Every structure is written in C-alpha cells, then in structure tokens.
Amino acid sequence: MNNREKLFDVFKQVFGIHEVTKEMTQNDIPEWNSLQMINLIMALEEVFEIQIMPEEAADMLSVELVMDILAEKGVAFNAEGAV
Amino acid sequence: MMGETDQMIPLQDADTPDQGAALAKVWSGYVEGRPIKLHELLATFPYAGKIDRDRLTVKVAVAVARTWTIDNAMPAILFLGAVRGLDITLDLRDYGVLHQEVLDPGSGLYDSQFDYLVLLWQLNDFLPDMHACWGWSPEERADRITTAAQYAALLMKTAAERHKGTVICFDFGMDPHGPSRGVIDSLDAHSPSAVHRCLNEALHEEVIRMNVVGVHILRLAKLQYRLGFDHWPDDRLRLTARCPVGLAGQIAVLDEVVRLIATEERKPRKVLLLDCDNTLWGGVVGEDGWDGIRLDADYPGNAFVEIQKLILQLHHQGVVLGVCSKNDEAVVRSLFEEHPNMILRPEHISVWAVNWEPKSENIRSVVDRLSLSMDSFVFIDDSSVERAEIRARCPDVFVPEVPENPLQLLAFWQRFNPFARTSLSDEDRWRGRSYQQEEKRQTVRASAMSLTDFYADLQMRCRMWRAEEQDVPRIVQMSHRTNQFNATTIRMSEADVGLLLADSAVDVYLLELLDRFGASGVIGCAVVRRTAREATVEQFMLSCRVLKRTVENHFVGLIMSEVVGVADRLTLRYVPTKKNGLIRRFFDQIVSGESAAVQCEWHMDVTSENADNHLQPWIAVYTEDEEQ
C-alpha cells in the first residue's frame, strides 16, 4: 500500500466514507468537524509516525492541503514507486 | 472469550456480513488488554450509529457530567458497552458545568431516567494553584489538601443523595508530569506527586467521614499505569481542546466506567467447577502418578502452580470451588492433601465430584446440593468433548473455551473473572471457607515494622542433627564454599570428614532451615570436640544466604544445649582470613561480658540458662518426622 492509499484509508476510516479524492475539502465531508479533526490528526500521526502541531492542523482544510503538510514532513506522495 | 466480553456486536445493515464480528474482535481485544493501534479503534467509530440496540439485552442510561472535553472519544462507550452486551444510552452533559449541575437540583442531571451518573472532574477544579505547592507551608499544604478533598467528597455526597442510581467518579491519580521533574519529586512531601497521593487518601477519608454511600471511586492511577506517562497526558489536547489526556486515555477512562457498569449489571457467577488433569496440573495423575504430573518449579509445572494461585485468589473473593473430574477419588484427594506443590488444598474445595459418571450428571447433583441455579456455575475443562457435553446438557452453565498450551492457559486465568463484583463484603471473602471451620485470626500489624516483626514474619523453622555417612558430600561442599562465615576455614576432603565422623570424641552438627519462602536446605555445620569438661567448636560455618537473621545465634544456642551436663566450658575457635572478619565480630558480640577473647579463642560458660539466652524465640525447631 503506498502513502496515498494509506492516507485515503485514514480518511475513509475516520469519517466513515467510501470515496476520497485529492480535491475534497472540509465542505465536501460533513463529518469533518472540529471533533473529528482531532481523531484525524491522531490517526495520521500513528499511521505515518509523524507529529502534527496545532498550527499545522489549522491549515488542513482539504485532502490536498493535508498531503502538502505531510509531504513537508517527509511523507512522499509521488504516484510511482512511493511506498 | 474471557468472561467479560462474551458478546458479538449486532449491526443493522452492515457493509459485510462479518462486520459485527470484526468490530467485536477489535473491541474485545481492547477490553482484554491485547495491544491495539488507536487508529484501529478509530476506524470502528463510523459504525457506532449502526449498532442494532434492540438485540442488546441490558439497557442502561448514563449521564456524564464533566469538566473535560471527551466528546470525540464518546462513540467508544457504545462499543465498550455492546461488546459486553450493554445497550448504553448516553447523555453527555455540557462541558465545564459539572459543579453547577451537581449542586442545582433542577439541572436535569437528576432526571429519573439515568441509571448511572458519571462525574468526570479534574484536579484543577479543586486545586487550581497546584503549581505553587513547593512553596506551601506544612499548614497550608494540609489545609489545601483537606479543603480540596472535602469539596470533592461533598459533590459526591450531593450527587449520591439526589441521584437514584449509582454515581461513578475517579480520584486524582498520579501527577502525570512528576517523573520528568527529577528525583526530588518522589522524595519531598511538598512535591506534586506527594500532594496527589495525599489528596487521594484524603478523598477516601472524607468519603468515610461524611458517610457518602452509593458512589464508586475508580482509581485513575490504574489507567495511567496501563498507558504509561508517555501516552497519558496530552498537552496538545489540553491546550487546544480542554482535554487533559490523549484519545487513548479518554477511551481507557470510558472503558473503566463501562467495566464497572457491566459488573454491576451482570449477575455474577458463584461456583467454579474445575477439572483436574491438564487443568490444575500438567499430565494425568491416574497414568503418570504423583512423580509424573507437572506441578513444580520448572515450566510447564510452574505455570500450573501459578494458575492454582490465581484460583485461590478467587476462593478468597468468595467464589465456591468444586472439583469435577473423571478420576479415582482417593488418588485425587491424596494429591490435594499431600502433594507438596499443590496450592489448592482440601479446605479450599467445597464440592467433590470425582468419579467416572458423566460430568453433566455430576453438575446436576452439585446444583441440587448447593441449592443454586445453573447460571451460577462456571465449568473449566481442558477436554473439548467434556465442554461440549456440558454445553449441550447444562446450557446455563458458563463453559469458556480454554487454551491447551500451559503458558496460554495461564494468560487465560490472569484475565478470567466472570465472578467479578463491585464490592466485597467480609462475608463474601469468607464464603468460600464457610464449609470448614478453620478461620485463622488475622492480626493487624502496627504501622512500623520492627526487626523482631521481620524475624517473626520469616516463619523460620530449623532442625539440627548429628551428621551421618550420607551427609558427607554436603559437609565437604560447605567446607570448600563457605568463606565469610567460616570460623577456621579448614577445607576438608571426604576422607577428612570420614575421620571426624569416626572419632567418638567429635560431634559434627548440621543445621537445616525452612522459612516462608521455602526450604534453604543444609545451611550450617559445626565440628565440636569434647575433652574433659570442655567442648571446643573447631569448625563453625554458616551459609551466607541466611546471615543476619539470628540463625547464627540460634545455632550457638543449639550447640551449647547439646553439651549441657557434659562440659562446663564451650570454646569457640577462630583463625582469621581475609574474608572472615564477620565471624570474629559475631563471636565478640555474643561472648562480650562472658569472657575476653584470648588468642582467637572465645570461652563461654555452659549452662542451660546461657544456652537459652542464645536461642531465638522466632525460630521454631522441628524434627525429621515433621519435615513434610
């Protein structure tokens, strides 16, 4: 499973949804409220073994922005060969 | 299934037919303490709304008043309940108004619909200036602690008096930041750790003083231990979401609450019926015999010893124990009575059903004899055939699956408790023994333990005898291995010892010791030569394992007792080495005032009174016959 698949799985698990795309924002996922945000952060930290600061969490407004912040922490999302 | 979680989680329109089983597996695993990743628990949360509550038999309504944010962990309570067969209806009260709600009779907290009222408070609610604790004077410290404990106890009392059901709350646990503050934190009475400790004690004292009833106070420290300090406090959640602990901590808090509710709601089982072979010991006693069964200090025998200790704890909690085994009753009885490594003894067993009849018939007759219903019984057997027979013919008896491997069987027993209850009366504690009349008086020890108490507590018993042929190897061994407490350090061969034993003017004494930790074996040896009216201790050795327990004094007393009437003087001989200064100091100490040391010899007057002075009241003497 590559990092993109792992990330999408976290979204599916935490929010109980079946489809995730890079373009989705907080507005597209009704369950993505401030409480579920905490669970999302914790799941991301555990799955990718990283730490996310509150300031960074505040910027996570879409799936793509989450990917950007994770990429800054060394989680690679290039389509080919990523693990 | 471990007795606590014997339920599946029923789901409405699940995505896959196995979804309910998968969810139950995750949450049972958590409840039973298997390592689980947090995100695996989180992944179940979206299914909370799909739990088919109609199929859960026990309905409970729970109100949670709090000064915590715990909202994002709340779906966990539904799973923790469902996996135990509980349908929990939850009212999560508004954040931060616990005190107001408890104190205001019209707040809605006391609506009769709630079976349980959970109070989740923080230390900060009662002691906001905890950070100043290092600077408190002793009076201030005592005052703060008492005031905080009284306030919390008063809230409990108020809630308990107004609420019709059970009130559940937590104490203050341990200081989650303590370990990082250096060793002074655990040494100083003014440290946050010490204040936490005193607060918890004060809380329990106030609850008793104010006669608060109907409240269960759970220990937060238990959860802190479980998660470890690295996973308990969570500064990010505390500072951004007003929750002092991480998600794992929140789930642990809810689990402890649900565990208590489940225990209150379930009718506890009362009787534990046990198979014998491969359940209480390894192997089959009827075939392998006493020597062949595994119940000893090595694996797998030691696993069965530990299993018996766990079962004995259940007995002391009031669980009635019975033996239900296809065996020759006399063989099994004698094993319970006499096998040295049995922990369970006949006095712990209230019911014996040892014969070759079908076990289900035995159980039926036991049920009649004890006038209990089938659903009070638990049956443990390593044989799947026997388990199936009981399940088919006595369906209300709880027959858990048990692992075969002794290590896994021990793990099973460590978690197995379908007898759990939320309180134990003294009557409960003694119920298991009520069939016998051998209650021993428990004495309460004073707060400080004296050295005398310590000696007495060791329950030492010893035996001294004149060495014979079969003791020669042990004497040779001692003469070579004993250095520190060896008065003359004469290394002897078997021939040397043989000469001593053959010498009619010489007695070789050996000393053996037992204490409450077990047998120490032969630990002392003395060689005594008798001449006209004088006895000389030419060699005196004691194993260093038993030093400083007054055994050495006792040994001298025993030797002197042996020569009363035949000698007037007992001489202790000493040859110094680099290692045996200890023994010179010992001789100095016991002979002082009697005679001065001259050229490495100490002289003592032999009288029975003097001998008695050296005997120690806390060391009992036994004979060879009593050894078993």
Side-chain angles (χ1 to χ4, degrees):
Chain A
M1 195 187 279
N2 66 34
N3 284 333
R4 173 188 290 262
E5 287 164 344
K6 277 192 198 170
L7 177 72
F8 285 11
D9 263 15
V10 169
F11 271 89
K12 288 178 196 170
Q13 287 180 349
V14 170
F15 299 125
I17 53 179
H18 296 285
E19 282 299 317
V20 180
T21 63
K22 193 176 167 184
E23 290 71 33
M24 281 179 158
T25 69
Q26 284 194 359
N27 293 332
D28 302 319
I29 304 174
E31 294 82 3
W32 194 341
N33 56 29
S34 62
L35 284 176
Q36 289 304 321
M37 186 69 185
I38 291 171
N39 292 349
L40 175 69
I41 299 292
M42 293 200 219
L44 291 173
E45 289 188 331
E46 195 175 88
V47 169
F48 294 105
E49 297 178 348
I50 51 168
Q51 256 207 313
I52 297 168
M53 289 296 120
E55 295 80 359
E56 295 167 324
D59 291 337
M60 292 180 166
L61 302 169
S62 69
V63 177
E64 187 167 15
L65 284 167
V66 171
M67 292 171 77
D68 289 348
I69 290 163
L70 262 53
E72 285 172 23
K73 296 176 180 294
V75 180
F77 286 106
N78 47 329
E80 290 167 51
V83 180
Chain B
M1 295 297 164
M2 296 298 171
E4 210 184 340
T5 58
D6 43 12
Q7 301 286 330
M8 303 299 278
I9 295 182
L11 285 190
Q12 291 172 327
D13 25 280
D15 301 345
T16 64
D18 297 333
Q19 195 73 55
L23 293 176
K25 193 176 169 202
V26 171
W27 283 98
S28 301
Y30 178 80
V31 168
E32 287 158 15
R34 289 197 287 274
I36 306 266
K37 295 274 187 199
L38 200 55
H39 73 268
E40 291 171 2
L41 297 178
L42 281 173
T44 66
F45 280 17
Y47 294 92
K50 289 189 174 179
I51 296 173
D52 185 356
R53 313 176 70 154
D54 291 342
R55 285 154 66 191
L56 295 167
T57 48
V58 183
K59 315 280 176 197
V60 288
V62 180
V64 179
R66 75 273 178 48
T67 60
W68 292 22
T69 304
I70 194 168
D71 311 51
N72 56 321
M74 268 302 163
I77 203 170
L78 302 179
F79 291 103
L80 291 163
V83 84
R84 293 164 165 120
L86 298 177
D87 172 19
I88 297 179
T89 304
L90 182 73
D91 186 353
L92 188 59
R93 310 292 296 184
D94 286 341
Y95 162 82
V97 290
L98 177 147
H99 302 253
Q100 299 89 314
E101 286 203 313
V102 167
L103 297 172
D104 174 8
S107 64
L109 201 57
Y110 303 114
D111 286 2
S112 56
Q113 60 189 4
F114 300 121
D115 304 301
Y116 294 89
L117 171 56
V118 181
L119 306 178
L120 283 184
W121 50 43
Q122 302 188 51
L123 178 57
N124 200 39
D125 303 339
F126 305 101
L127 206 54
D129 57 348
M130 180 73 179
H131 57 276
C133 63
W134 291 104
W136 290 340
S137 71
E139 296 75 24
E140 273 178 306
R141 178 178 173 278
D143 187 51
R144 298 297 167 101
I145 289 171
T146 311
T147 307
Q150 279 176 353
Y151 183 20
L154 195 66
L155 280 181
M156 274 188 230
K157 190 178 170 71
T158 308
E161 282 174 358
R162 292 177 181 170
H163 175 63
K164 74 170 176 68
T166 305
V167 176
I168 302 171
C169 62
F170 285 88
D171 68 4
F172 303 110
M174 302 181 283
D175 174 26
H177 298 287
S180 60
R181 287 184 181 142
V183 73
I184 187 69
D185 189 76
S186 57
L187 300 175
D188 193 278
H190 286 262
S191 72
S193 290
V195 173
H196 274 78
R197 243 185 350 259
C198 294
L199 257 172
N200 292 329
E201 279 171 32
L203 184 64
H204 284 273
E205 281 166 18
E206 289 299 330
V207 162
I208 291 167
R209 199 180 62 78
M210 292 188 195
N211 194 25
V212 180
V213 288
V215 181
H216 289 298
I217 308 170
L218 297 169
R219 291 203 177 270
L220 206 60
K222 186 178 150 191
L223 312 180
Q224 293 174 310
Y225 278 126
R226 175 174 172 179
L227 291 175
F229 283 113
D230 291 344
H231 298 100
W232 179 260
D234 191 313
D235 287 338
R236 180 178 52 194
L237 281 187
R238 186 167 55 82
L239 297 173
T240 65
R242 299 177 207 287
C243 179
V245 300
L247 193 65
Q250 297 171 40
I251 294 174
V253 164
L254 296 175
D255 183 40
E256 194 69 358
V257 169
V258 177
R259 185 184 299 258
L260 178 75
I261 294 173
T263 308
E264 290 247 299
E265 293 294 326
R266 186 180 43 213
K267 183 185 166 196
R269 308 265 173 177
K270 295 187 179 121
V271 186
L272 175 59
L273 294 178
L274 298 154
D275 172 50
C276 290
D277 296 326
N278 290 315
T279 296
L280 296 181
W281 52 75
V284 179
V285 65
E287 288 170 18
D288 305 331
W290 269 44
D291 298 336
I293 63 165
R294 299 310 307 265
L295 190 69
D296 46 43
D298 298 311
Y299 186 80
N302 51 6
F304 287 100
V305 171
E306 284 197 25
I307 286 168
Q308 289 201 16
K309 287 180 183 173
L310 291 168
I311 296 172
L312 187 62
Q313 287 189 23
L314 292 175
H315 165 77
H316 289 307
Q317 290 171 30
V319 176
V320 175
L321 302 183
V323 172
C324 184
S325 165
K326 283 182 179 167
N327 254 315
D328 185 356
E329 177 161 2
V331 172
V332 170
R333 284 256 194 183
S334 72
L335 200 78
F336 272 83
E337 278 160 16
E338 290 164 35
H339 194 288
N341 297 331
M342 284 292 288
I343 301 294
L344 295 172
R345 293 295 183 188
E347 63 263 31
H348 305 128
I349 306 298
S350 304
V351 185
W352 297 87
V354 183
N355 51 47
W356 301 94
E357 301 300 314
K359 292 197 178 184
S360 58
E361 283 177 27
N362 276 317
I363 290 180
R364 284 174 193 283
S365 85
V366 168
V367 169
D368 287 344
R369 261 188 280 164
L370 295 183
S371 347
L372 289 166
S373 56
M374 285 270 186
D375 61 6
S376 296
F377 285 74
V378 176
F379 174 78
I380 303 287
D381 201 307
D382 66 299
S383 156
S384 55
V385 178
E386 299 289 359
R387 292 198 298 267
E389 199 239 350
I390 302 303
R391 285 196 193 115
R393 303 191 58 195
C394 310
D396 288 337
V397 173
F398 178 37
V399 185
E401 286 296 297
V402 288
E404 280 179 22
N405 175 276
L407 188 63
Q408 290 171 336
L409 189 62
L410 175 62
F412 163 84
W413 279 107
Q414 283 166 342
R415 302 193 190 287
F416 182 72
N417 193 357
F419 314 98
R421 45 183 74 223
T422 53
S423 65
L424 279 183
S425 65
D426 282 347
E427 191 187 87
D428 290 326
R429 270 182 262 276
W430 294 94
R431 186 191 302 120
R433 295 188 210 183
S434 63
Y435 293 77
Q436 306 83 27
Q437 312 299 323
E438 53 131 64
E439 301 181 7
K440 286 181 187 162
R441 199 164 293 255
Q442 303 285 315
T443 50
V444 181
R445 179 179 291 138
S447 55
M449 191 176 185
S450 70
L451 205 52
T452 314
D453 291 333
F454 169 71
Y455 295 142
D457 205 47
L458 288 171
Q459 296 166 20
M460 291 183 282
R461 284 161 294 152
C462 73
R463 175 169 81 92
M464 188 179 86
W465 71 97
R466 283 191 176 80
E468 292 170 12
E469 196 60 38
Q470 72 263 25
D471 300 317
V472 171
R474 178 64 184 137
I475 297 169
V476 171
Q477 197 185 44
M478 279 199 82
S479 83
H480 284 269
R481 289 201 185 158
T482 314
N483 297 311
Q484 292 183 74
F485 216 84
N486 192 337
T488 47
T489 320
I490 299 169
R491 313 295 191 193
M492 293 186 289
S493 66
E494 289 204 3
D496 297 333
V497 178
L499 285 174
L500 285 177
L501 293 186
D503 190 334
S504 61
V506 171
D507 287 312
V508 180
Y509 294 106
L510 292 177
L511 188 74
E512 190 176 66
L513 187 76
L514 294 171
D515 60 28
R516 69 185 175 91
F517 301 106
S520 298
V522 179
I523 45 85
C525 176
V527 176
V528 180
R529 182 174 296 278
R530 281 174 280 107
T531 53
R533 308 308 296 172
E534 173 151 7
T536 303
V537 181
E538 293 185 333
Q539 298 191 45
F540 187 80
M541 327 165 207
L542 206 66
S543 162
C544 58
R545 280 177 298 161
V546 299
L547 290 185
K548 302 281 182 188
R549 296 181 182 188
T550 71
V551 174
E552 53 270 42
N553 306 66
H554 198 73
F555 198 14
V556 170
L558 288 172
I559 293 168
M560 191 182 282
S561 305
E562 289 289 321
V563 295
V564 169
V566 295
D568 302 321
R569 199 167 81 152
L570 185 70
T571 298
L572 303 172
R573 191 166 284 169
Y574 174 71
V575 177
T577 68
K578 280 181 182 168
K579 290 179 180 169
N580 71 352
L582 200 59
I583 208 161
R584 194 188 63 216
R585 288 194 290 279
F586 168 64
F587 286 166
D588 265 344
Q589 176 205 330
I590 62 166
V591 187
S592 69
E594 291 183 339
S595 69
V598 182
Q599 296 176 344
C600 292
E601 281 193 357
W602 282 257
H603 303 293
M604 306 166 84
D605 293 331
V606 175
T607 62
S608 56
E609 191 190 14
N610 205 1
D612 286 348
N613 286 340
H614 291 285
L615 294 176
Q616 306 296 310
W618 38 78
I619 302 180
V621 173
Y622 66 91
T623 65
E624 196 172 8
D625 297 337
E626 294 165 349
E627 201 173 340
Q628 277 298 321

